[in-house]
Amino acid sequence: MVRAMIRNVIVALSMTLVLAAACGPSAQPTCTGATCACNGSDCACVGGASCDVQCGIFPRCVPSCTSVTTCNFECRDDCTAKCNAGDTCKMQCGNNCTYDCSNSKACNVTAGSDATIDCSNVGTCDVTCTSGACKVACAGAGSCNVKCGDGTDPATCADGTTKACGGGC
């Protein structure tokens, strides 16, 4: 009886340590760059040469770059990100992401299902929608290249400037 109780306590403590490690500092977003700062799920860079935000396993991350030369975001699901007025904006995200890279020179995005990407007034916009519905606003973009994960060509929506995969119009 005592052995069983001790074993149960050891198992419980082991599980607590495993959960603490999984949800520890690596679960929080991190960023590097001279002007980068994170507060909870929000990470922001304003100005500077580069910004790199790694959201890790943290869902609903909110990274942003404004007037940064090179900006890179890696998010999981439900990410809302902005990279405005920079030279190169790059983002990888899971499902249900919203990304605004308007008024940047170049934008490169890889996104999952239910993504909404704004490439308005971008010099070159390259988006890969890996699965499901994905919508890319291309108004005023120099070039707007959208690849659908299922291998089909993206549809052009009624406004004539938005491209969509998976019935996203």
Side-chain angles (χ1 to χ4, degrees):
M1 178 85 155
V2 171
R3 282 186 190 192
M5 288 175 55
I6 291 172
R7 185 176 55 94
N8 288 342
V9 168
I10 290 172
V11 169
L13 286 173
S14 297
M15 292 303 292
T16 301
L17 289 174
V18 167
L19 288 173
C23 298
S26 65
Q28 294 295 317
T30 60
C31 65
T32 55
T35 64
C36 192
C38 290
N39 182 11
S41 64
D42 297 351
C43 293
C45 293
V46 179
S50 67
C51 180
D52 185 66
V53 178
Q54 303 293 315
C55 292
I57 62 171
F58 201 86
R60 292 175 292 287
C61 189
V62 185
S64 67
C65 282
T66 304
S67 300
V68 176
T69 303
T70 303
C71 192
N72 180 56
F73 300 141
E74 289 188 27
C75 299
R76 159 181 165 147
D77 295 340
D78 303 309
C79 187
T80 301
K82 289 184 181 183
C83 178
N84 300 125
D87 285 352
T88 303
C89 301
K90 184 176 180 181
M91 178 182 179
Q92 289 180 301
C93 68
N95 298 322
N96 198 35
C97 293
T98 302
Y99 188 46
D100 177 357
C101 58
S102 59
N103 301 306
S104 296
K105 290 181 182 175
C107 184
N108 185 304
V109 180
T110 301
S113 185
D114 298 318
T116 302
I117 315 298
D118 185 356
C119 282
S120 300
N121 303 311
V122 171
T124 302
C125 181
D126 293 305
V127 177
T128 300
C129 300
T130 59
S131 63
C134 178
K135 189 189 303 190
V136 183
C138 301
S143 69
C144 193
N145 307 303
V146 178
K147 294 181 185 174
C148 301
D150 61 5
T152 62
D153 289 332
T156 299
C157 299
D159 67 4
T161 62
T162 300
K163 296 182 181 183
C165 296
C169 284

Short mmCIF file of all heavy atoms in Angstrom, two decimals, residues 77-139:
data_model
loop_
_atom_site.label_atom_id
_atom_site.label_comp_id
_atom_site.label_asym_id
_atom_site.label_seq_id
_atom_site.Cartn_x
_atom_site.Cartn_y
_atom_site.Cartn_z
N ASP A 77 -0.90 28.02 -35.30
CA ASP A 77 -2.28 28.36 -35.70
C ASP A 77 -2.73 29.69 -35.09
O ASP A 77 -2.24 30.11 -34.05
CB ASP A 77 -3.24 27.26 -35.27
CG ASP A 77 -2.98 25.94 -35.97
OD1 ASP A 77 -2.34 25.95 -37.04
OD2 ASP A 77 -3.40 24.90 -35.44
N ASP A 78 -3.72 30.30 -35.76
CA ASP A 78 -4.39 31.51 -35.26
C ASP A 78 -3.43 32.67 -35.06
O ASP A 78 -3.59 33.46 -34.13
CB ASP A 78 -5.14 31.21 -33.96
CG ASP A 78 -6.14 30.09 -34.11
OD1 ASP A 78 -6.96 30.16 -35.06
OD2 ASP A 78 -6.11 29.13 -33.32
N CYS A 79 -2.47 32.81 -35.92
CA CYS A 79 -1.48 33.88 -35.84
C CYS A 79 -1.99 35.11 -36.59
O CYS A 79 -2.56 34.99 -37.67
CB CYS A 79 -0.18 33.37 -36.45
SG CYS A 79 1.22 34.47 -36.27
N THR A 80 -1.78 36.29 -36.04
CA THR A 80 -2.11 37.54 -36.71
C THR A 80 -0.83 38.35 -36.78
O THR A 80 -0.30 38.77 -35.75
CB THR A 80 -3.19 38.32 -35.94
OG1 THR A 80 -4.35 37.50 -35.83
CG2 THR A 80 -3.53 39.62 -36.64
N ALA A 81 -0.30 38.55 -37.98
CA ALA A 81 1.01 39.18 -38.13
C ALA A 81 0.97 40.34 -39.11
O ALA A 81 0.16 40.35 -40.03
CB ALA A 81 2.02 38.14 -38.60
N LYS A 82 1.90 41.30 -38.91
CA LYS A 82 2.04 42.44 -39.81
C LYS A 82 3.51 42.68 -40.09
O LYS A 82 4.33 42.62 -39.18
CB LYS A 82 1.46 43.71 -39.18
CG LYS A 82 -0.04 43.72 -39.09
CD LYS A 82 -0.53 45.04 -38.55
CE LYS A 82 -2.05 45.01 -38.45
NZ LYS A 82 -2.57 46.28 -38.01
N CYS A 83 3.81 42.96 -41.34
CA CYS A 83 5.15 43.35 -41.75
C CYS A 83 4.97 44.45 -42.78
O CYS A 83 4.76 44.18 -43.96
CB CYS A 83 5.91 42.15 -42.34
SG CYS A 83 7.57 42.56 -42.92
N ASN A 84 4.97 45.68 -42.35
CA ASN A 84 4.65 46.80 -43.23
C ASN A 84 5.86 47.69 -43.50
O ASN A 84 6.65 47.96 -42.61
CB ASN A 84 3.54 47.65 -42.61
CG ASN A 84 2.26 46.87 -42.40
OD1 ASN A 84 1.75 46.82 -41.31
ND2 ASN A 84 1.76 46.23 -43.44
N ALA A 85 5.95 48.13 -44.75
CA ALA A 85 6.93 49.11 -45.19
C ALA A 85 8.37 48.62 -45.04
O ALA A 85 9.28 49.41 -44.89
CB ALA A 85 6.74 50.44 -44.46
N GLY A 86 8.59 47.32 -45.09
CA GLY A 86 9.94 46.78 -45.02
C GLY A 86 10.41 46.34 -46.39
O GLY A 86 9.72 46.48 -47.39
N ASP A 87 11.63 45.79 -46.42
CA ASP A 87 12.17 45.29 -47.68
C ASP A 87 11.69 43.87 -47.94
O ASP A 87 11.07 43.59 -48.95
CB ASP A 87 13.69 45.33 -47.68
CG ASP A 87 14.24 46.75 -47.84
OD1 ASP A 87 13.45 47.68 -48.10
OD2 ASP A 87 15.46 46.91 -47.71
N THR A 88 12.00 42.95 -47.03
CA THR A 88 11.67 41.55 -47.22
C THR A 88 10.90 41.03 -46.01
O THR A 88 11.39 41.09 -44.88
CB THR A 88 12.95 40.70 -47.41
OG1 THR A 88 13.68 41.23 -48.51
CG2 THR A 88 12.60 39.24 -47.66
N CYS A 89 9.70 40.52 -46.25
CA CYS A 89 8.86 39.96 -45.20
C CYS A 89 8.64 38.48 -45.50
O CYS A 89 8.26 38.12 -46.61
CB CYS A 89 7.50 40.65 -45.15
SG CYS A 89 7.60 42.44 -44.85
N LYS A 90 8.86 37.64 -44.51
CA LYS A 90 8.68 36.20 -44.70
C LYS A 90 7.89 35.66 -43.52
O LYS A 90 8.16 36.01 -42.37
CB LYS A 90 10.03 35.50 -44.80
CG LYS A 90 9.93 34.03 -45.10
CD LYS A 90 11.30 33.41 -45.30
CE LYS A 90 11.15 31.93 -45.61
NZ LYS A 90 12.45 31.28 -45.79
N MET A 91 6.92 34.78 -43.81
CA MET A 91 6.12 34.20 -42.74
C MET A 91 5.77 32.76 -43.06
O MET A 91 5.42 32.43 -44.19
CB MET A 91 4.83 34.98 -42.54
CG MET A 91 3.95 34.39 -41.47
SD MET A 91 2.42 35.31 -41.30
CE MET A 91 1.61 34.40 -40.02
N GLN A 92 5.85 31.92 -42.05
CA GLN A 92 5.33 30.56 -42.10
C GLN A 92 4.31 30.46 -40.97
O GLN A 92 4.60 30.86 -39.84
CB GLN A 92 6.43 29.53 -41.86
CG GLN A 92 7.41 29.41 -42.99
CD GLN A 92 8.46 28.36 -42.67
OE1 GLN A 92 9.17 28.47 -41.69
NE2 GLN A 92 8.53 27.35 -43.50
N CYS A 93 3.13 29.93 -41.30
CA CYS A 93 2.14 29.76 -40.24
C CYS A 93 1.27 28.56 -40.52
O CYS A 93 1.23 28.06 -41.64
CB CYS A 93 1.29 31.01 -40.07
SG CYS A 93 0.19 31.37 -41.43
N GLY A 94 0.56 28.13 -39.50
CA GLY A 94 -0.34 26.99 -39.62
C GLY A 94 -1.68 27.44 -40.19
O GLY A 94 -1.76 28.17 -41.17
N ASN A 95 -2.76 27.04 -39.52
CA ASN A 95 -4.12 27.33 -39.99
C ASN A 95 -4.67 28.61 -39.36
O ASN A 95 -4.27 29.00 -38.28
CB ASN A 95 -5.04 26.15 -39.66
CG ASN A 95 -4.60 24.90 -40.37
OD1 ASN A 95 -4.15 24.93 -41.51
ND2 ASN A 95 -4.69 23.77 -39.68
N ASN A 96 -5.62 29.20 -40.07
CA ASN A 96 -6.37 30.35 -39.58
C ASN A 96 -5.47 31.54 -39.26
O ASN A 96 -5.60 32.17 -38.22
CB ASN A 96 -7.22 29.97 -38.36
CG ASN A 96 -8.30 30.97 -38.10
OD1 ASN A 96 -8.86 31.55 -39.02
ND2 ASN A 96 -8.58 31.21 -36.83
N CYS A 97 -4.54 31.84 -40.15
CA CYS A 97 -3.62 32.96 -39.96
C CYS A 97 -4.03 34.15 -40.79
O CYS A 97 -4.58 34.01 -41.88
CB CYS A 97 -2.20 32.55 -40.34
SG CYS A 97 -1.52 31.30 -39.24
N THR A 98 -3.72 35.32 -40.28
CA THR A 98 -3.94 36.56 -41.00
C THR A 98 -2.59 37.26 -41.07
O THR A 98 -1.94 37.46 -40.06
CB THR A 98 -4.96 37.46 -40.26
OG1 THR A 98 -6.18 36.75 -40.14
CG2 THR A 98 -5.19 38.76 -41.02
N TYR A 99 -2.17 37.62 -42.29
CA TYR A 99 -0.86 38.24 -42.46
C TYR A 99 -0.98 39.46 -43.36
O TYR A 99 -1.51 39.37 -44.47
CB TYR A 99 0.11 37.23 -43.06
CG TYR A 99 1.54 37.70 -43.12
CD1 TYR A 99 2.15 38.32 -42.03
CD2 TYR A 99 2.30 37.52 -44.26
CE1 TYR A 99 3.46 38.74 -42.08
CE2 TYR A 99 3.63 37.93 -44.32
CZ TYR A 99 4.19 38.54 -43.22
OH TYR A 99 5.50 38.95 -43.28
N ASP A 100 -0.49 40.59 -42.90
CA ASP A 100 -0.52 41.83 -43.65
C ASP A 100 0.92 42.23 -43.95
O ASP A 100 1.66 42.59 -43.05
CB ASP A 100 -1.22 42.91 -42.82
CG ASP A 100 -1.23 44.27 -43.48
OD1 ASP A 100 -0.65 44.43 -44.58
OD2 ASP A 100 -1.81 45.20 -42.89
N CYS A 101 1.31 42.13 -45.22
CA CYS A 101 2.65 42.57 -45.61
C CYS A 101 2.54 43.71 -46.63
O CYS A 101 3.43 43.91 -47.46
CB CYS A 101 3.50 41.41 -46.14
SG CYS A 101 2.82 40.53 -47.54
N SER A 102 1.46 44.46 -46.57
CA SER A 102 1.22 45.54 -47.52
C SER A 102 2.33 46.59 -47.46
O SER A 102 2.96 46.79 -46.42
CB SER A 102 -0.14 46.20 -47.23
OG SER A 102 -0.18 46.70 -45.91
N ASN A 103 2.57 47.20 -48.61
CA ASN A 103 3.55 48.27 -48.75
C ASN A 103 4.99 47.84 -48.46
O ASN A 103 5.83 48.67 -48.14
CB ASN A 103 3.18 49.47 -47.86
CG ASN A 103 1.82 50.01 -48.23
OD1 ASN A 103 1.57 50.33 -49.37
ND2 ASN A 103 0.92 50.06 -47.26
N SER A 104 5.27 46.55 -48.58
CA SER A 104 6.63 46.04 -48.44
C SER A 104 7.17 45.75 -49.83
O SER A 104 6.42 45.60 -50.79
CB SER A 104 6.64 44.77 -47.59
OG SER A 104 6.22 45.07 -46.28
N LYS A 105 8.49 45.64 -49.94
CA LYS A 105 9.08 45.37 -51.25
C LYS A 105 8.86 43.94 -51.70
O LYS A 105 8.57 43.68 -52.85
CB LYS A 105 10.56 45.72 -51.24
CG LYS A 105 10.83 47.20 -51.14
CD LYS A 105 12.30 47.51 -51.16
CE LYS A 105 12.53 49.01 -51.00
NZ LYS A 105 13.97 49.30 -50.88
N ALA A 106 9.03 42.98 -50.77
CA ALA A 106 8.85 41.57 -51.11
C ALA A 106 8.20 40.84 -49.94
O ALA A 106 8.52 41.09 -48.78
CB ALA A 106 10.21 40.92 -51.43
N CYS A 107 7.28 39.94 -50.28
CA CYS A 107 6.55 39.18 -49.26
C CYS A 107 6.54 37.72 -49.67
O CYS A 107 6.19 37.39 -50.81
CB CYS A 107 5.13 39.74 -49.16
SG CYS A 107 4.13 38.97 -47.87
N ASN A 108 6.91 36.84 -48.76
CA ASN A 108 6.94 35.41 -49.02
C ASN A 108 6.22 34.71 -47.87
O ASN A 108 6.67 34.82 -46.73
CB ASN A 108 8.40 34.93 -49.13
CG ASN A 108 8.49 33.48 -49.51
OD1 ASN A 108 7.93 32.63 -48.84
ND2 ASN A 108 9.21 33.20 -50.58
N VAL A 109 5.12 34.02 -48.18
CA VAL A 109 4.28 33.42 -47.14
C VAL A 109 3.99 31.96 -47.47
O VAL A 109 3.68 31.62 -48.60
CB VAL A 109 2.93 34.17 -47.00
CG1 VAL A 109 2.07 33.55 -45.92
CG2 VAL A 109 3.15 35.65 -46.74
N THR A 110 4.09 31.12 -46.44
CA THR A 110 3.60 29.74 -46.52
C THR A 110 2.57 29.61 -45.42
O THR A 110 2.88 29.83 -44.24
CB THR A 110 4.75 28.72 -46.31
OG1 THR A 110 5.74 28.94 -47.31
CG2 THR A 110 4.23 27.30 -46.40
N ALA A 111 1.32 29.29 -45.79
CA ALA A 111 0.23 29.28 -44.82
C ALA A 111 -0.68 28.08 -45.02
O ALA A 111 -0.80 27.55 -46.11
CB ALA A 111 -0.59 30.57 -44.96
N GLY A 112 -1.34 27.69 -43.94
CA GLY A 112 -2.28 26.58 -43.96
C GLY A 112 -3.69 27.03 -44.30
O GLY A 112 -3.92 28.11 -44.85
N SER A 113 -4.65 26.22 -43.92
CA SER A 113 -6.05 26.46 -44.23
C SER A 113 -6.60 27.71 -43.55
O SER A 113 -6.18 28.07 -42.45
CB SER A 113 -6.86 25.23 -43.80
OG SER A 113 -8.21 25.37 -44.18
N ASP A 114 -7.56 28.35 -44.21
CA ASP A 114 -8.26 29.53 -43.70
C ASP A 114 -7.33 30.71 -43.46
O ASP A 114 -7.54 31.49 -42.53
CB ASP A 114 -9.05 29.19 -42.44
CG ASP A 114 -10.13 28.16 -42.70
OD1 ASP A 114 -10.80 28.25 -43.74
OD2 ASP A 114 -10.27 27.23 -41.88
N ALA A 115 -6.32 30.86 -44.30
CA ALA A 115 -5.39 32.00 -44.19
C ALA A 115 -5.89 33.17 -45.02
O ALA A 115 -6.49 32.99 -46.07
CB ALA A 115 -4.00 31.58 -44.65
N THR A 116 -5.62 34.38 -44.54
CA THR A 116 -5.92 35.60 -45.26
C THR A 116 -4.64 36.41 -45.32
O THR A 116 -4.08 36.77 -44.29
CB THR A 116 -7.02 36.41 -44.55
OG1 THR A 116 -8.19 35.59 -44.43
CG2 THR A 116 -7.37 37.66 -45.32
N ILE A 117 -4.17 36.69 -46.53
CA ILE A 117 -2.90 37.39 -46.74
C ILE A 117 -3.17 38.69 -47.49
O ILE A 117 -3.86 38.69 -48.51
CB ILE A 117 -1.92 36.53 -47.58
CG1 ILE A 117 -1.88 35.07 -47.13
CG2 ILE A 117 -0.54 37.17 -47.63
CD1 ILE A 117 -1.42 34.82 -45.73
N ASP A 118 -2.60 39.80 -47.01
CA ASP A 118 -2.74 41.09 -47.69
C ASP A 118 -1.40 41.47 -48.30
O ASP A 118 -0.46 41.82 -47.59
CB ASP A 118 -3.19 42.16 -46.70
CG ASP A 118 -3.46 43.50 -47.39
OD1 ASP A 118 -3.22 43.63 -48.61
OD2 ASP A 118 -3.92 44.43 -46.69
N CYS A 119 -1.31 41.37 -49.63
CA CYS A 119 -0.11 41.75 -50.38
C CYS A 119 -0.34 43.04 -51.16
O CYS A 119 0.29 43.27 -52.19
CB CYS A 119 0.28 40.63 -51.34
SG CYS A 119 1.14 39.25 -50.56
N SER A 120 -1.23 43.88 -50.69
CA SER A 120 -1.54 45.13 -51.39
C SER A 120 -0.29 46.01 -51.49
O SER A 120 0.42 46.20 -50.51
CB SER A 120 -2.63 45.91 -50.64
OG SER A 120 -3.81 45.15 -50.56
N ASN A 121 -0.03 46.49 -52.70
CA ASN A 121 1.07 47.41 -52.97
C ASN A 121 2.45 46.83 -52.63
O ASN A 121 3.37 47.56 -52.27
CB ASN A 121 0.86 48.74 -52.22
CG ASN A 121 -0.45 49.38 -52.61
OD1 ASN A 121 -0.75 49.51 -53.79
ND2 ASN A 121 -1.24 49.75 -51.62
N VAL A 122 2.58 45.52 -52.74
CA VAL A 122 3.86 44.84 -52.52
C VAL A 122 4.55 44.70 -53.88
O VAL A 122 3.90 44.41 -54.88
CB VAL A 122 3.64 43.45 -51.87
CG1 VAL A 122 4.92 42.65 -51.84
CG2 VAL A 122 3.07 43.61 -50.48
N GLY A 123 5.86 44.86 -53.90
CA GLY A 123 6.59 44.69 -55.16
C GLY A 123 6.44 43.28 -55.70
O GLY A 123 5.98 43.07 -56.82
N THR A 124 6.82 42.29 -54.90
CA THR A 124 6.71 40.88 -55.28
C THR A 124 6.10 40.11 -54.13
O THR A 124 6.63 40.14 -53.02
CB THR A 124 8.11 40.29 -55.60
OG1 THR A 124 8.71 41.05 -56.64
CG2 THR A 124 7.99 38.84 -56.04
N CYS A 125 5.02 39.40 -54.41
CA CYS A 125 4.34 38.61 -53.39
C CYS A 125 4.30 37.15 -53.85
O CYS A 125 3.80 36.85 -54.93
CB CYS A 125 2.92 39.13 -53.18
SG CYS A 125 2.00 38.24 -51.91
N ASP A 126 4.86 36.26 -53.03
CA ASP A 126 4.84 34.83 -53.31
C ASP A 126 4.18 34.12 -52.13
O ASP A 126 4.70 34.18 -51.01
CB ASP A 126 6.26 34.29 -53.50
CG ASP A 126 6.91 34.84 -54.75
OD1 ASP A 126 6.32 34.70 -55.84
OD2 ASP A 126 8.01 35.43 -54.64
N VAL A 127 3.04 33.47 -52.39
CA VAL A 127 2.29 32.80 -51.33
C VAL A 127 2.07 31.34 -51.70
O VAL A 127 1.65 31.04 -52.82
CB VAL A 127 0.92 33.48 -51.08
CG1 VAL A 127 0.12 32.73 -50.03
CG2 VAL A 127 1.11 34.94 -50.67
N THR A 128 2.34 30.46 -50.76
CA THR A 128 2.01 29.05 -50.92
C THR A 128 0.97 28.70 -49.88
O THR A 128 1.21 28.82 -48.68
CB THR A 128 3.26 28.15 -50.73
OG1 THR A 128 4.23 28.52 -51.71
CG2 THR A 128 2.90 26.68 -50.89
N CYS A 129 -0.20 28.32 -50.35
CA CYS A 129 -1.29 27.87 -49.47
C CYS A 129 -1.19 26.34 -49.42
O CYS A 129 -1.44 25.68 -50.42
CB CYS A 129 -2.63 28.30 -50.02
SG CYS A 129 -2.80 30.09 -50.19
N THR A 130 -0.80 25.81 -48.28
CA THR A 130 -0.51 24.38 -48.19
C THR A 130 -1.75 23.50 -48.19
O THR A 130 -1.69 22.36 -48.62
CB THR A 130 0.34 24.06 -46.95
OG1 THR A 130 -0.36 24.49 -45.78
CG2 THR A 130 1.69 24.76 -47.04
N SER A 131 -2.88 24.03 -47.69
CA SER A 131 -4.11 23.23 -47.64
C SER A 131 -5.33 24.12 -47.46
O SER A 131 -5.21 25.24 -46.97
CB SER A 131 -4.04 22.23 -46.49
OG SER A 131 -3.97 22.91 -45.25
N GLY A 132 -6.48 23.62 -47.85
CA GLY A 132 -7.74 24.30 -47.59
C GLY A 132 -7.88 25.67 -48.24
O GLY A 132 -7.19 26.00 -49.20
N ALA A 133 -8.79 26.46 -47.69
CA ALA A 133 -9.09 27.78 -48.22
C ALA A 133 -8.02 28.79 -47.82
O ALA A 133 -7.52 28.76 -46.70
CB ALA A 133 -10.45 28.25 -47.72
N CYS A 134 -7.68 29.65 -48.77
CA CYS A 134 -6.64 30.66 -48.56
C CYS A 134 -6.97 31.82 -49.48
O CYS A 134 -7.29 31.60 -50.65
CB CYS A 134 -5.29 30.04 -48.89
SG CYS A 134 -3.86 31.12 -48.75
N LYS A 135 -6.89 33.05 -48.98
CA LYS A 135 -7.23 34.22 -49.79
C LYS A 135 -6.08 35.22 -49.74
O LYS A 135 -5.55 35.52 -48.67
CB LYS A 135 -8.50 34.88 -49.26
CG LYS A 135 -9.03 35.98 -50.17
CD LYS A 135 -10.15 36.80 -49.60
CE LYS A 135 -11.36 36.07 -49.18
NZ LYS A 135 -12.49 36.93 -48.84
N VAL A 136 -5.69 35.73 -50.92
CA VAL A 136 -4.56 36.66 -51.03
C VAL A 136 -5.01 37.92 -51.76
O VAL A 136 -5.38 37.86 -52.93
CB VAL A 136 -3.37 36.01 -51.77
CG1 VAL A 136 -2.18 36.98 -51.81
CG2 VAL A 136 -2.97 34.68 -51.12
N ALA A 137 -4.96 39.06 -51.08
CA ALA A 137 -5.30 40.35 -51.70
C ALA A 137 -4.06 40.86 -52.42
O ALA A 137 -3.00 41.02 -51.81
CB ALA A 137 -5.75 41.34 -50.64
N CYS A 138 -4.18 41.12 -53.71
CA CYS A 138 -3.04 41.49 -54.55
C CYS A 138 -3.15 42.88 -55.16
O CYS A 138 -2.38 43.22 -56.06
CB CYS A 138 -2.90 40.47 -55.69
SG CYS A 138 -2.66 38.76 -55.17
N ALA A 139 -4.07 43.71 -54.72
CA ALA A 139 -4.29 45.03 -55.32
C ALA A 139 -3.01 45.86 -55.30
O ALA A 139 -2.38 46.03 -54.26
CB ALA A 139 -5.40 45.77 -54.59
#
